[in-house]
Amino acid sequence: MSYVSGRVPGRRIMAAIFLLALALSACGRAEPAESGRPGPELQRFYEQQPAFGSCDGYATTAADAQAFAADPEFRCARIEVPLDYDDPDGRTMQIALLRAAAGGERIGSLLLNPGGPGGAGMSMAAVAGKTWAGSPVTERFDLIGFDPRGVGASIPAVDCFTDAEIEAGTAVTSVTVGAGTLTEEDSRRLVDRCAERSGGRDVLAHVGTRDVVRDMDILRAVLGDERLNFFGQSYGTRLGAVYAETFPDKVRAMVLDGAIDPRTGTDERRITQWAGFQRSFDEMAAACATRPECPLGTDPGTASRNFQTLLRPLLDRPVPVTGGGELTYDAAWGAVVAGLYDSAAWPAIEKGLAEIAAGRGDTLSAIGEVFAGRGPDGRYPNFTEALYAINCMDEQRHTPAEEVELKRRIQAVAPFLDAGRGAEGARDPCEFWPAEPTLGFPYATDIEGLPQTLTISVTGDPSTPYQGGVSLAETLGGALLTVEGEQHTVTLSGASDCVNDAVARYLLDPQRPITVRSCTL
């Protein structure tokens, strides 16, 4: 289990749960395009013609295969980008994308990213086409979902574990939360394994956000757009912000839903994020406490303690799951955190906790599998592995002592996740990564020439807390849409016509003054 990400659980996932600054201008670097005219080193990438065709063979999971087959008009392609923008004549990567063509008079392409990092965008385009069916967005824009470098159907993809290892719960990439520990040998072996299975250490060194936004500008050009239209959720808001910083004159419209705060560094953001999950847990516990059968008790003030009373026995004695397998401590808390992304899943969490008290783990096991994207064939997406690799290239690094201190601070702000075994044994899994991080903090500040952007922030968002959206809107000098509710991101959830209408109006005419500044779920 990795540390919590900015992942956006899809609406079908939540339904299943419910029912069950470093600059790019370093010496020698190939420069970003000026006014759409790339330097000669990158010309061949910008002048590609994507060969869109059948999506057969692009799916990497059963869910993707189902999504891609939902509409025979979907078209897929791969485009070539440099592995290393410092060496554009060297090794290349292939970025996979899916197009859902505009139903009417086309304005341009709308590039989509679902978050993560590590979330695959191809299936997002397929699902968005259904969610926005009949909307001016699908009438006027080609929806373009792309799998960022290292993710999903892009080549090469980050691969650190077998499906069997993920299934067994041994695919560990962080112990900042939970009961696990990492040794120096564990950390070295993890990086070596990822390099061997992912195509080499040079691949791991080039999967960060700053490389992805360079890819996004090539995508913009090969899709025939003079300026970029972008919709990003969760981690996707970081992609949007860094693109805006790098190519401000190439932005037409940008919707950023569930914002990561560009002003906060790694430690502050993780602590704020886990505090947000504690707040959501407390809200769930208070709602549960109104019922006498609540497995967390009828006093919300004791809910965190009662939660650990239920879970800690699993440290030594996991509970069985019907049909085979067992629910461990780390799998249980991971499933609860997954359910906290959306208040619609709170009843399923309560059911799962009651089952643990009765000695079985069916519901929480199912929640964890659905959130992780496990298919009926037992295959998993490479989300967790890609999240790990991308964060290693984005986030600030820690010494072992600093990682232990971070875990102590997280346990203090999120006591519902304190396993009672202290913080010793925490270690930065990126300690031996083959390259230094390239993102830099803060980022996306003091941008000149950026058009109006639209940031959406939900007041009860546990993963990307509301103030992060306030900060991003201020940093970009754009508009903020405040949404009253309890969930992580909102636009594609189908939960708010108010939000969807505001997004459509903005995308159709991003220069129009934004008058709607608040919505309620």
Side-chain angles (χ1 to χ4, degrees), residues 8 31 249 275 338 351 375 461 512:
V8 181
E31 295 295 329
D249 61 328
K351 179 183 177 184
D461 188 329
R512 178 192 305 172

Side-chain angles (χ1 to χ4, degrees), residues 135-216:
S135 161
V137 176
T138 54
E139 285 297 302
R140 305 299 303 278
F141 292 93
D142 293 343
L143 302 184
I144 305 291
F146 74 106
D147 290 358
R149 54 171 60 206
V151 174
S154 291
I155 302 172
V158 176
D159 182 12
C160 304
F161 307 107
T162 66
D163 288 328
E165 288 169 328
I166 297 174
E167 185 85 15
T170 59
V172 176
T173 56
S174 176
V175 293
T176 309
V177 177
T181 61
L182 283 177
T183 65
E184 178 178 337
E185 181 182 357
D186 293 334
S187 294
R188 289 186 185 276
R189 186 167 55 245
L190 175 57
V191 174
D192 289 343
R193 257 194 95 163
C194 291
E196 180 181 355
R197 297 172 61 92
S198 305
R201 300 175 79 82
D202 54 342
V203 172
L204 300 186
H206 293 286
V207 293
T209 293
R210 291 203 177 273
D211 278 317
V212 176
V213 300
R214 303 291 297 273
D215 300 342
M216 288 167 57

Side-chain angles (χ1 to χ4, degrees), residues 387-404:
L387 179 147
Y388 164 50
I390 296 165
N391 278 334
C392 283
M393 286 307 303
D394 278 4
E395 301 294 348
Q396 296 161 310
R397 304 275 170 83
H398 295 130
T399 66
E402 289 169 339
E403 193 79 352
V404 168

Side-chain angles (χ1 to χ4, degrees), residues 240-409:
V242 177
Y243 183 92
E245 175 187 52
T246 311
F247 302 99
D249 61 328
K250 293 301 166 192
V251 174
R252 176 187 176 272
M254 190 167 281
V255 179
L256 307 172
D257 182 3
I260 294 177
D261 189 342
R263 294 169 172 165
T264 60
T266 296
D267 287 15
E268 182 182 352
R269 190 179 62 261
R270 291 183 189 171
I271 291 166
T272 300
Q273 189 176 48
W274 284 116
F277 277 102
Q278 179 69 51
R279 188 204 63 80
S280 290
F281 176 85
D282 292 341
E283 291 286 333
M284 179 193 71
C288 181
T290 62
R291 295 179 292 279
E293 70 278 10
C294 175
L296 295 172
T298 56
D299 179 1
T302 65
S304 291
R305 184 169 67 248
N306 294 341
F307 178 73
Q308 284 302 335
T309 298
L310 279 173
L311 259 62
R312 285 181 185 175
L314 274 58
L315 289 165
D316 301 311
R317 297 183 303 279
V319 293
V321 175
T322 301
E326 58 187 17
L327 182 73
T328 66
Y329 175 88
D330 280 344
W333 75 254
V336 170
V337 168
L340 290 176
Y341 274 90
D342 191 326
S343 59
W346 291 358
I349 297 176
E350 294 174 25
K351 179 183 177 184
L353 295 177
E355 287 178 355
I356 288 179
R360 69 183 195 276
D362 295 1
T363 297
L364 290 186
S365 178
I367 291 173
E369 288 185 355
V370 171
F371 187 77
R374 182 186 186 277
D377 56 0
R379 294 173 64 192
Y380 288 84
N382 79 324
F383 170 79
T384 298
E385 294 133 303
L387 179 147
Y388 164 50
I390 296 165
N391 278 334
C392 283
M393 286 307 303
D394 278 4
E395 301 294 348
Q396 296 161 310
R397 304 275 170 83
H398 295 130
T399 66
E402 289 169 339
E403 193 79 352
V404 168
E405 178 58 23
L406 175 61
K407 185 167 186 174
R408 287 197 185 102
R409 294 176 66 190

Side-chain angles (χ1 to χ4, degrees), residues 417-498:
L417 291 177
D418 184 352
R421 293 190 171 180
E424 295 302 322
R427 195 178 192 102
D428 191 337
C430 304
E431 184 177 0
F432 302 107
W433 205 251
E436 291 299 312
T438 55
L439 179 63
F441 294 94
Y443 56 86
T445 59
D446 302 320
I447 302 173
E448 296 183 1
L450 181 65
Q452 178 175 234
T453 58
L454 175 61
T455 297
I456 302 167
S457 200
V458 181
T459 55
D461 188 329
S463 183
T464 52
Y466 173 74
Q467 287 300 322
V470 175
S471 178
L472 180 60
E474 290 176 349
T475 300
L476 298 181
L480 173 68
L481 175 59
T482 295
V483 182
E484 296 286 340
E486 291 284 340
Q487 68 184 55
H488 176 49
T489 76
V490 61
T491 307
L492 288 177
S493 70
S496 174
D497 290 339
C498 173

